[in-house]
Amino acid sequence: MITVPLETWVSIGALLGVGLSLAGLLLTTVHSLRTEVKSDIADLRTEVKSDIADLRTVVDRLDNRVYALATQQSPGPLIVPRSRD
């Protein structure tokens, strides 16, 4: 029968402890990163929706202006919202 010295068991236990600690740290880091990315994506979606609404407003104004010109009416002023940058 093969016997393993106590120092070997201690070393194996220490390595397992370090491995489990690193795995826990990695999982925590991945979870926090995932939460941060989800938050950033939600912010970007909100910003894109706002930009799309602004663009639809501009397109509607241009459409009305083109219609007025096509029917030989006096087109109203074209007011384009300024960029938020």
Side-chain angles (χ1 to χ4, degrees), residues 13-64:
L15 288 174
L16 286 174
V18 168
L20 289 174
S21 296
L22 287 175
L25 177 65
L26 180 64
L27 288 175
T28 302
T29 304
V30 167
H31 178 69
S32 66
L33 180 62
R34 185 176 179 192
T35 303
E36 185 178 334
V37 168
K38 281 184 176 182
S39 173
D40 288 347
I41 289 173
D43 292 343
L44 286 174
R45 282 183 178 170
T46 302
E47 187 176 329
V48 167
K49 285 181 182 180
S50 173
D51 290 345
I52 289 173
D54 291 345
L55 288 174
R56 284 187 177 149
T57 302
V58 171
V59 168
D60 288 342
R61 288 180 185 161
L62 286 172
D63 188 40
N64 290 338

